[in-house]
Amino acid sequence: MGSFVSSQVVLLFVLLVSLLQINSEARRLSDQSADQNQQQMLFQYHNGHLLSGKVSVNLIWYGKFKNSQRAIVSDFITSLSSSTTTTEKPSVASWWRMTEKYYQHSKKSSSLVLSLGTQIFDEDCSLGKSLSSKDIVNLASKGGQANAINVVLTAADVAVEGFCMSRCGTHGSALGSDSGHVKGKNSKFAYIWVGNSQTQCPGQCAWPFHQPIYGPQSPPLVAPNNDVGLDGMVINLASLLAGTATNPFGNGYFQGPKDAPLEAASACSGIYGKGAYPGYAGELLVDQTTGASYNAHGSNGRNYLVPALIDPSTSTCTTLI
């Protein structure tokens, strides 16, 4: 009888120890998961490549654009350079210089200098007016790939996979045309796509120059270049250029999961000036003649609206004004 009781006591002790071990392991795994989730919510550098040196921005125009519309974008690219003769402040160039903090924070030796490269025109829409993501890469590959960012700009009547439903544009990288031709070479080039949302979804992709589709409703602002679609494209292009520079190949600066990252500008979505909140872009400059809202001066007397960028050292959104 005593032996039977002793066996039961030993068995209970073993079960208790096992349960404690299981609970301890469960807590450890739970803590690890919580730590991983917390890490994902931090805006951080993932030790990858940043674009650096002198890089050309090549524009691939797909579909019909007016010359005046093309000038809005090309002047914006030109405005990114600090050598642009713009005496008025704040400037697009001073906005772009905010990205230098990423290079300083990651201890990279060189920052990035962008300039306007070649422009390619496909007015007849050689791949049709309904494009897949693969089509975008094919179009982007038409531009020069060495020391370049190839930007595909689609016209208002061109539908692109995911456009308006989940994105206003995107950036990525693809293998260069010379990859594999040279032993051991596996070069990549960076590309961007932005669509003109004028007729398809201006409330989603051209806010705050159009009434938003959802959320707080406030009167739309007057577009600085008098073109809701193109001024909206500039906002998205600016955001994607910042993301491309600081996270070109998916292992640079970002927050959240790698397959759906929040980047330099997208982590500050909807913020353009001091005091911004959902439905309100923030305190902006206003042209006294046209009533247009903007926050940066560009080349050729143009004005633009550019997004806030997150400061990598403080993880806070920084605006020009």
Side-chain angles (χ1 to χ4, degrees), residues 51 90 182 230 277:
L51 290 189
V182 180
L230 267 293
Y277 55 81

PDB file of all heavy atoms in Angstrom, residues 51 90 182 230 277:
ATOM      1  N   LEU A  51      20.811  52.841 -52.322  1.00  0.00           N
ATOM      2  CA  LEU A  51      21.304  53.408 -53.569  1.00  0.00           C
ATOM      3  C   LEU A  51      22.243  54.564 -53.237  1.00  0.00           C
ATOM      4  O   LEU A  51      21.973  55.358 -52.336  1.00  0.00           O
ATOM      5  CB  LEU A  51      20.152  53.917 -54.432  1.00  0.00           C
ATOM      6  CG  LEU A  51      19.227  52.876 -55.065  1.00  0.00           C
ATOM      7  CD1 LEU A  51      18.296  53.552 -56.065  1.00  0.00           C
ATOM      8  CD2 LEU A  51      19.996  51.761 -55.751  1.00  0.00           C
ATOM      9  N   PRO A  90      10.922  76.701 -48.536  1.00  0.00           N
ATOM     10  CA  PRO A  90      11.651  75.437 -48.662  1.00  0.00           C
ATOM     11  C   PRO A  90      11.620  74.932 -50.103  1.00  0.00           C
ATOM     12  O   PRO A  90      10.727  75.274 -50.869  1.00  0.00           O
ATOM     13  CB  PRO A  90      10.906  74.503 -47.719  1.00  0.00           C
ATOM     14  CG  PRO A  90       9.500  75.016 -47.735  1.00  0.00           C
ATOM     15  CD  PRO A  90       9.615  76.511 -47.857  1.00  0.00           C
ATOM     16  N   VAL A 182      27.829  37.651 -67.925  1.00  0.00           N
ATOM     17  CA  VAL A 182      29.174  37.653 -67.375  1.00  0.00           C
ATOM     18  C   VAL A 182      29.195  36.710 -66.186  1.00  0.00           C
ATOM     19  O   VAL A 182      28.332  36.768 -65.319  1.00  0.00           O
ATOM     20  CB  VAL A 182      29.592  39.074 -66.927  1.00  0.00           C
ATOM     21  CG1 VAL A 182      31.006  39.055 -66.350  1.00  0.00           C
ATOM     22  CG2 VAL A 182      29.494  40.043 -68.098  1.00  0.00           C
ATOM     23  N   LEU A 230      -1.667  64.664 -62.346  1.00  0.00           N
ATOM     24  CA  LEU A 230      -0.207  64.752 -62.377  1.00  0.00           C
ATOM     25  C   LEU A 230       0.367  65.208 -61.042  1.00  0.00           C
ATOM     26  O   LEU A 230       1.411  64.710 -60.603  1.00  0.00           O
ATOM     27  CB  LEU A 230       0.250  65.682 -63.498  1.00  0.00           C
ATOM     28  CG  LEU A 230       0.565  65.011 -64.841  1.00  0.00           C
ATOM     29  CD1 LEU A 230       1.810  64.114 -64.720  1.00  0.00           C
ATOM     30  CD2 LEU A 230      -0.612  64.182 -65.365  1.00  0.00           C
ATOM     31  N   TYR A 277      -3.363  65.489 -39.533  1.00  0.00           N
ATOM     32  CA  TYR A 277      -4.096  64.374 -38.927  1.00  0.00           C
ATOM     33  C   TYR A 277      -4.994  63.787 -40.011  1.00  0.00           C
ATOM     34  O   TYR A 277      -5.132  64.382 -41.093  1.00  0.00           O
ATOM     35  CB  TYR A 277      -4.892  64.826 -37.700  1.00  0.00           C
ATOM     36  CG  TYR A 277      -5.855  65.977 -37.943  1.00  0.00           C
ATOM     37  CD1 TYR A 277      -7.121  65.770 -38.510  1.00  0.00           C
ATOM     38  CD2 TYR A 277      -5.514  67.276 -37.591  1.00  0.00           C
ATOM     39  CE1 TYR A 277      -8.001  66.818 -38.727  1.00  0.00           C
ATOM     40  CE2 TYR A 277      -6.379  68.337 -37.802  1.00  0.00           C
ATOM     41  CZ  TYR A 277      -7.626  68.094 -38.366  1.00  0.00           C
ATOM     42  OH  TYR A 277      -8.485  69.138 -38.590  1.00  0.00           O
TER      43      TYR A 277
END
